[in-house]
Amino acid sequence: MRYRATVAYDGTLYHGFQRQVASQTTIQGELERALLEVGGVAVAVTGAGRTDRGVHARGQVISFELQWRHGSTTLKRAINANLPLDIVLVDVAETDADFHPRYDARQRVYEYYIYNQPTRDPLVRLYSWHVRERLQLLPMQEAASELVGSHDFATFGQPPQGDNTIRQVYGAEWRRQDDTLVFRIEGNAFLYRMVRSIVGTLTQVGAGNWSAAEFVEAFRAADRSRAAASAPPQGLFLVSVSYEN
Amino acid sequence: MRYRATVAYDGTLYHGFQRQVASQTTIQGELERALLEVGGVAVAVTGAGRTDRGVHARGQVISFELQWRHGSTTLKRAINANLPLDIVLVDVAETDADFHPRYDARQRVYEYYIYNQPTRDPLVRLYSWHVRERLQLLPMQEAASELVGSHDFATFGQPPQGDNTIRQVYGAEWRRQDDTLVFRIEGNAFLYRMVRSIVGTLTQVGAGNWSAAEFVEAFRAADRSRAAASAPPQGLFLVSVSYEN
């Protein structure tokens, strides 16, 4: 049987989603370890998005094959009982035999949190980027609006495979929540480092170091060397992945 | 010169506020270490509330003596540069020579966070107590209202020194914030473990295991053995401490 599940995690202690060398703890590795405990056989987990080291998720989507006779509610409970407290299956359900979480994904949503106050806050440090200087939301939003549409995003990242750097962005919006600025971006797919690179560069606009026009010029150049430094991983959340139906 | 400061911290990795044996990391110990770095001489820090191991603070108040000639803005920056990222001075100012953060405190406010959903959330695990079964706010609030006033709180804790278990509670209210229940309690002072013991016992009311009347009966008995199990530390925040003027 093939299953599809939504996974939430605190990425603080992990070397990203994807299993790499055996000595590094990854989300995929922990999920596969839990499935081995539950099913008794080695199971490969496929994920929709390869989040980097330190990046969090509320709605990562995975799939895996498993023989299980006790229903999906019991399966969810059994897997969660075998996962560490910083990873959880939010839901799990049977799916089509040919479902692939990455290839079938139609839309991904990411959010990035900036804690924008002169003094740092220890209680949000694991889930936001602390930027001391006051950022201006209006020019950041003006620049971000230019991202919407089908564009070459080469300035902001590399493709995980191949060399196609064209992506479609459906929405890119900033909002203020008390002392925090939240950037929400929706697209069909994202280049490696794309959201963090966009946020790092937009922050230069918010700080007044770049004009919105300079941002757009760097973006249109489709040249990786034109981006500002990427924002750090702990502010980034994979919020959801959507599929047809 | 005597200084008063507001301190925020993530208590996850600490053995509470108060310095104890040298091998255990405490908030007080870290503050004193930073002050030694900044001032060059050993400085004793006094705190308003001795938060337990794993308890957090947004508004702990401390005082200390220091010779410093560069103004309080620079002092704050210097101390924060020497503190770990999970502790921060929110503000610092000169104060009267006889100011004592514990004895002079008139009011303390604590909040306790319960994440009340069947499935745990890895992203709030360090800052809330996960209670799976649905809690009913109304009976919990009915019971909590009985705490307001001047009462013997012996059921819910021990005095840090002496044997007076009478305390004044000015307010005790539950509110729902999405999937989280927040308990806010304001009082002149609190017994050791008092807030966590009250929350643990009120949760029995919310779960339907105790009636509000049974809660009140246990409270009036002024008998420590009548409380339910205390709520765990990671949901508790010392929010603020107030003084006259």
Side-chain angles (χ1 to χ4, degrees):
Chain A
M1 205 91 79
R2 190 155 192 81
Y3 288 92
R4 164 178 159 178
T6 307
V7 185
Y9 48 83
D10 179 335
T12 307
L13 301 176
Y14 295 94
H15 284 79
F17 180 82
Q18 200 173 15
R19 184 167 22 80
Q20 300 171 8
V21 298
S23 62
Q24 294 181 339
T25 317
T26 62
I27 306 295
Q28 185 184 14
E30 290 300 303
L31 288 164
E32 291 177 349
R33 200 191 42 70
L35 285 167
L36 175 61
E37 291 288 332
V38 168
V41 292
V43 168
V45 165
T46 309
R50 296 167 182 163
T51 57
D52 280 354
R53 176 179 181 159
V55 171
H56 315 293
R58 298 188 192 286
Q60 170 76 280
V61 174
I62 62 166
S63 73
F64 54 88
E65 301 273 349
L66 193 77
Q67 299 307 319
W68 183 260
R69 297 168 179 281
H70 315 291
S72 55
T73 305
T74 309
L75 177 58
K76 174 183 157 180
R77 203 180 304 148
I79 297 170
N80 282 339
N82 283 283
L83 282 171
L85 292 176
D86 47 10
I87 307 177
V88 78
L89 251 61
V90 177
D91 56 48
V92 61
E94 289 177 38
T95 186
D96 298 338
D98 63 349
F99 171 73
H100 192 290
R102 188 158 71 254
Y103 303 147
D104 294 349
R106 288 286 165 271
Q107 192 194 29
R108 293 162 169 91
V109 180
Y110 284 91
E111 285 186 343
Y112 195 96
Y113 289 72
I114 294 177
Y115 181 70
N116 190 28
Q117 277 292 310
T119 304
R120 59 191 165 76
D121 181 346
L123 293 161
V124 301
R125 78 191 188 291
L126 301 176
Y127 309 106
S128 61
W129 178 27
H130 178 217
V131 175
R132 285 172 201 278
E133 56 188 321
R134 177 85 177 172
L135 299 175
Q136 298 300 325
L137 210 64
L138 223 62
M140 286 167 88
Q141 183 55 56
E142 187 192 337
S145 302
E146 296 291 325
L147 301 168
V148 177
S150 184
H151 299 288
D152 186 338
F153 283 92
T155 298
F156 301 120
Q158 296 90 21
Q161 53 207 53
D163 55 8
N164 177 12
T165 49
I166 310 283
R167 295 292 185 274
Q168 271 191 286
V169 166
Y170 307 124
E173 296 208 344
W174 286 95
R175 66 178 189 272
R176 191 182 293 276
Q177 259 180 217
D178 302 322
D179 295 332
T180 302
L181 304 183
V182 186
F183 181 59
R184 183 183 176 90
I185 186 164
E186 313 181 5
N188 68 331
F190 290 85
L191 301 174
Y192 179 69
R193 278 291 169 85
M194 180 168 148
V195 183
R196 289 166 57 193
S197 183
I198 286 172
V199 169
T201 310
L202 284 174
T203 303
Q204 293 297 329
V205 177
N209 302 329
W210 291 34
S211 68
E214 285 171 307
F215 176 90
V216 174
E217 202 184 297
F219 172 35
R220 299 250 165 90
D223 173 357
R224 191 74 183 100
S225 72
R226 297 287 295 273
S230 290
Q234 79 276 5
L236 185 59
F237 292 74
L238 172 53
V239 172
S240 64
V241 185
S242 311
Y243 300 85
E244 264 171 44
N245 307 317
Chain B
M1 206 90 79
R2 190 155 191 81
Y3 288 93
R4 163 178 160 179
T6 306
V7 185
Y9 47 84
D10 179 335
T12 307
L13 300 176
Y14 294 94
H15 285 79
F17 180 82
Q18 200 172 16
R19 185 169 17 82
Q20 299 171 9
V21 298
S23 62
Q24 294 181 340
T25 318
T26 62
I27 307 295
Q28 185 184 15
E30 290 299 304
L31 289 164
E32 291 177 348
R33 201 191 41 70
L35 285 167
L36 175 60
E37 292 287 333
V38 169
V41 292
V43 168
V45 164
T46 310
R50 295 166 182 163
T51 56
D52 280 355
R53 178 179 178 157
V55 171
H56 315 293
R58 295 187 194 286
Q60 171 75 281
V61 175
I62 62 166
S63 72
F64 54 87
E65 301 272 349
L66 193 77
Q67 299 307 318
W68 182 260
R69 295 165 183 281
H70 315 291
S72 56
T73 305
T74 310
L75 177 58
K76 174 183 156 181
R77 202 179 306 151
I79 296 170
N80 282 338
N82 283 283
L83 283 170
L85 292 176
D86 47 9
I87 307 177
V88 77
L89 252 61
V90 177
D91 57 49
V92 59
E94 288 177 38
T95 187
D96 298 338
D98 62 349
F99 171 72
H100 192 290
R102 188 158 70 253
Y103 304 146
D104 293 349
R106 288 288 164 270
Q107 191 195 30
R108 292 162 170 90
V109 180
Y110 283 91
E111 285 187 343
Y112 195 96
Y113 288 73
I114 294 177
Y115 181 69
N116 190 30
Q117 277 293 310
T119 304
R120 57 191 166 78
D121 181 347
L123 294 161
V124 301
R125 80 192 188 289
L126 301 175
Y127 309 107
S128 60
W129 178 27
H130 179 215
V131 175
R132 284 171 202 279
E133 56 188 321
R134 177 85 177 171
L135 300 175
Q136 298 298 326
L137 211 64
L138 223 62
M140 286 168 88
Q141 182 56 54
E142 187 192 337
S145 302
E146 296 291 324
L147 301 167
V148 178
S150 184
H151 300 286
D152 187 338
F153 283 91
T155 297
F156 300 119
Q158 296 90 25
Q161 53 206 52
D163 55 8
N164 177 13
T165 49
I166 310 284
R167 295 291 185 275
Q168 271 192 284
V169 166
Y170 307 124
E173 296 207 345
W174 286 95
R175 66 178 190 272
R176 191 182 293 276
Q177 261 180 215
D178 303 320
D179 296 332
T180 302
L181 304 182
V182 186
F183 180 60
R184 184 183 176 91
I185 186 165
E186 312 182 5
N188 68 331
F190 289 84
L191 301 174
Y192 179 69
R193 277 288 167 89
M194 179 167 148
V195 184
R196 288 166 56 192
S197 183
I198 286 173
V199 169
T201 310
L202 284 174
T203 302
Q204 294 296 330
V205 177
N209 302 328
W210 291 32
S211 68
E214 285 171 307
F215 176 90
V216 174
E217 202 185 295
F219 172 35
R220 298 248 166 89
D223 173 357
R224 190 75 183 99
S225 73
R226 297 287 296 273
S230 290
Q234 79 277 6
L236 185 59
F237 292 74
L238 173 51
V239 171
S240 63
V241 186
S242 311
Y243 300 86
E244 266 172 41
N245 305 317

